[in-house]
Each structure stands twice: as C-alpha cells, then as structure tokens.
Amino acid sequence: MNAQKPVIAIDGPAGAGKSTIAKLVAGKLGYIYIDTGAMYRSVAWRFLQSGEAFSPELAEKLARSMVITFKPEASVNRVFVDGTEVTDAIRSPEVTAIVSKVSAVGGVREEMVNQQRRMGEAGGVVMDGRDIGTVVFPHAQVKIFLTASVKERAMRRYKEMLAKGEQVDLAELEQQIAERDRQDSEREISPLKKADDAEFLDTSDMTIDEVAEHILQKVQEK
C-alpha cells in the first residue's frame, strides 16, 4: 500500500451512512471509492435473476463468475455487473431481504474480498463495509467504525426512501435494521465487528459534513 495515499477503512452496521460518508471523503481527497456493500448486493441481485432456490453453492458459483465494476459519475457511483448497470436494481427490497444470507456464504466472501484487495492494493482508496478493517485491509492506515442508533438509522433510511417516492413503514424499517444487525453480527464468517485499532464514531447527533471533516482530520494526522 502506498504510504503517501493510505487505505481508509470505514466499517459499521446497515444504515449508518457509510456509503454517503465514504463517497464524500473520497471526493474531497481525490481517492477511489469502493462500495463493498454494492458488491454483495450485486451477487444477491444476480442470484435473484437466476430464479433458483437459495443455495450456498449457487451463490458461490455466481460470485466467482461475475465481473463487478464501478463508474463514478457526478454524485452517483454507478455499479455494473458484466456490463449491465444495476445501480438502482441492487437497492430493491427483494435484494435487501437476501443480501445478508448471500454475504454469509464463505465462497462469496472469499471472492469479494479478493476483488476488493485487488482494487485497493495501490492505496488511495476509501472502502466501506462490515469487515474492511478486520479482514479485507487489517493494516489500513485509517480505520473508522461508524454507527448510529437503530432509531436514527431507520429515520435516515425512511427519509431517503420517501425522497425517492417509495412508501415505507418506519416501524418496519426499524425492525429490519435491527434484524440485519443481528444477522451481520452473528454470522460465522467475517462478522460485523469493530477492529481493535478502529475509532468508534457514533454519528447519531452529527451532520454528514461533521463526520466527513472528522475523518479527513484523521487522514491528515497520518
């Protein structure tokens, strides 16, 4: 990894704002943003496209046969699977419902981690997920564990979906996020976990700009 351009690892639970913050930080630094959550969502999307009943074997097979690429464009980090854009498709409720199950498959995680390491090996990247600082880049120079209360994360997601014209129940969102936390924290392979040397940052009462500036300060200190 390039000592002049560090790897910035941002981990945390669903709805903590990792992607928003990571994109903002990457943009200010001129770094590459790698959305690892979108990669697992892409595998889940491809699985749904197959029309098959869930099986770890098929999930692994699909993951190993896919080419996932990103194309930053203005404020959008466009996602492509084998050349087909899936930026919006991977955020559907159907994908959200099975992504934890898909990402818990050992072979899927192994393939995605390999791809993530190749993308970030030269440094100068901001990568967010649930196991970046613990598994993907344990030696990342800057590690942040970003979180917020379940209630606050549900409200953020609620506002985001309303802005897109989607109807959603706030209480149901809270339940979904709490369940996602449980699944991600209890899975056997690469569970959601704060790295020992990561900074714990609760953003419940912070603005997006305040969080971004805090992380940028940490990068400057390095």
Side-chain angles (χ1 to χ4, degrees), residues 69-148:
T69 53
F70 295 100
K71 182 181 178 182
E73 190 174 293
S75 61
V76 178
N77 197 35
R78 300 194 181 280
V79 188
F80 295 82
V81 171
D82 297 329
T84 298
E85 184 171 3
V86 296
T87 308
D88 294 327
I90 62 173
R91 302 294 172 181
S92 72
E94 293 78 14
V95 168
T96 298
I98 70 162
V99 67
S100 281
K101 184 184 293 187
V102 170
S103 62
V105 176
V108 172
R109 297 204 71 82
E110 181 181 340
E111 177 59 25
M112 294 299 103
V113 167
N114 286 340
Q115 290 194 33
Q116 291 156 19
R117 285 175 175 160
R118 287 196 295 270
M119 292 176 182
E121 62 186 359
V125 300
V126 182
M127 196 175 294
D128 71 287
R130 286 165 177 74
D131 62 352
I132 310 305
T134 54
V135 176
V136 184
F137 282 108
H139 301 298
Q141 293 91 336
V142 178
K143 296 182 184 180
I144 304 291
F145 189 88
L146 203 67
T147 191

Side-chain angles (χ1 to χ4, degrees), residues 83-210:
T84 298
E85 184 171 3
V86 296
T87 308
D88 294 327
I90 62 173
R91 302 294 172 181
S92 72
E94 293 78 14
V95 168
T96 298
I98 70 162
V99 67
S100 281
K101 184 184 293 187
V102 170
S103 62
V105 176
V108 172
R109 297 204 71 82
E110 181 181 340
E111 177 59 25
M112 294 299 103
V113 167
N114 286 340
Q115 290 194 33
Q116 291 156 19
R117 285 175 175 160
R118 287 196 295 270
M119 292 176 182
E121 62 186 359
V125 300
V126 182
M127 196 175 294
D128 71 287
R130 286 165 177 74
D131 62 352
I132 310 305
T134 54
V135 176
V136 184
F137 282 108
H139 301 298
Q141 293 91 336
V142 178
K143 296 182 184 180
I144 304 291
F145 189 88
L146 203 67
T147 191
S149 67
V150 170
K151 187 172 184 177
E152 175 62 23
R153 285 184 279 143
M155 179 57 73
R156 291 174 183 175
R157 185 64 57 85
Y158 176 75
K159 291 178 179 178
E160 181 182 289
M161 295 178 78
L162 281 185
K164 293 180 179 179
E166 300 178 28
Q167 296 299 314
V168 63
D169 181 79
L170 181 58
E172 186 176 332
L173 267 181
E174 284 191 33
Q175 291 179 343
Q176 290 175 353
I177 287 176
E179 175 60 17
R180 180 77 184 275
D181 286 354
R182 187 192 66 77
Q183 291 176 354
D184 289 345
S185 298
E186 295 179 0
R187 69 186 181 211
E188 292 184 15
I189 301 170
S190 298
L192 170 65
K193 180 182 177 183
K194 174 187 170 297
D196 292 338
D197 55 347
E199 177 186 1
F200 184 90
L201 188 60
D202 188 326
T203 68
S204 297
D205 298 316
M206 296 176 73
T207 66
I208 291 172
D209 286 336
E210 286 173 342

Side-chain angles (χ1 to χ4, degrees), residues 7-25:
V7 169
I8 302 171
I10 302 177
D11 289 310
K18 300 185 299 296
S19 296
T20 300
I21 296 301
K23 281 187 283 189
L24 185 56
V25 169

